[in-house]
Amino acid sequence: MNNSLVNTGRLLVAGLRALLVLTLFTGVVYPLAVTGVAQAFFGHQASGSEVRADGRVVGSSLIGQQGYGLDYFQPRPAAGLGVNTVNTQYKLILSGATNLAADNPRLVKAVERARAEVVRVNSTPDHKVKPSQVPADAVTSSGSGLDPDISPAYARLQVHRVAERNHLPVARVERLVREHTEGRTLGFIGEPCVNVLQLNVALRELTTGH
């Protein structure tokens, strides 16, 4: 038999063995090991950082949702998000912002309209919101459009409306916001924030008694 054919056959067999070994370790063993470690030590995060209420999953603390009624705290705007007719739970097919420059007339007008709406919605007979009090995150979407957090300033701005609509003392709702305000990561990374979903779950528990 031709030596070149023998060598070619040996190389082919060796290549197949290498492929099988690499497939086994990188495609099966390694993913299973990583998944097992993640579930054992970081089970909540590995499962999607689910938030539960009334005995069921109502969302993830990592993904912002839209559609809260005015009895609840509102998230950041979600301009730029695509929709589809398949995923009926979140109705999102992609994420993203408007991609408009800061001085773009369309964006400027959108921000002005949003600011006026925030002032109108959050003003109560006993508390009038001023346009200068509206923070940037109340009228602009994040880069992904899925930011689950708002600034403490935006959460505080909504306190009077939420308190009035839920027949709660303003001081109690203010305390709820403080309890759900997270500081900077490691004390110096990022900015303080409030997770909207977790805050609204706590608000629901407060108003329903469970």
Side-chain angles (χ1 to χ4, degrees):
M1 183 179 294
N2 192 300
N3 287 335
S4 62
L5 290 177
V6 173
N7 291 334
T8 300
R10 289 174 178 173
L11 290 174
L12 180 60
V13 171
L16 289 174
R17 287 176 178 172
L19 176 62
L20 290 174
V21 170
L22 289 173
T23 299
L24 178 63
F25 279 94
T26 63
V28 179
V29 176
Y30 178 74
L32 287 176
V34 171
T35 301
V37 171
Q39 289 292 342
F41 296 99
F42 308 99
H44 176 65
Q45 295 88 337
S47 297
S49 299
E50 296 173 340
V51 176
R52 304 183 69 88
D54 299 328
R56 62 188 181 89
V57 176
V58 295
S60 168
S61 62
L62 303 177
I63 300 176
Q65 300 183 38
Q66 300 293 315
Y68 296 109
L70 291 179
D71 290 354
Y72 293 92
F73 288 88
Q74 301 299 299
R76 295 187 67 170
L81 294 180
V83 299
N84 68 82
T85 57
V86 178
N87 185 343
T88 58
Q89 183 175 4
Y90 296 109
K91 299 182 180 178
L92 299 177
I93 193 170
L94 52 89
S95 65
T98 61
N99 276 340
L100 298 177
D103 60 350
N104 187 290
R106 286 173 53 197
L107 180 60
V108 172
K109 290 181 180 179
V111 168
E112 291 174 346
R113 287 195 301 269
R115 181 183 293 114
E117 183 66 7
V118 169
V119 169
R120 183 188 71 80
V121 167
N122 290 284
S123 292
T124 67
D126 300 326
H127 179 78
K128 299 299 181 183
V129 176
K130 300 177 181 179
S132 59
Q133 295 175 303
V134 179
D137 63 307
V139 295
T140 57
S141 62
S142 63
S144 69
L146 300 175
D147 191 348
D149 304 319
I150 57 176
S151 65
Y154 187 26
R156 290 192 297 268
L157 182 145
Q158 303 183 60
V159 162
H160 286 266
R161 166 180 54 80
V162 171
E164 179 188 69
R165 295 183 70 96
N166 289 282
H167 309 290
L168 293 169
V170 169
R172 182 65 187 90
V173 181
E174 288 177 334
R175 190 172 78 190
L176 195 67
V177 170
R178 288 196 300 271
E179 291 170 348
H180 287 81
T181 298
E182 301 175 11
R184 292 178 172 87
T185 303
L186 300 179
F188 67 95
I189 300 175
E191 296 293 332
C193 62
V194 181
N195 187 279
V196 180
L197 177 56
Q198 293 175 337
L199 177 61
N200 281 334
V201 168
L203 174 63
R204 178 176 170 79
E205 292 174 350
L206 179 64
T207 56
T208 60
H210 67 293

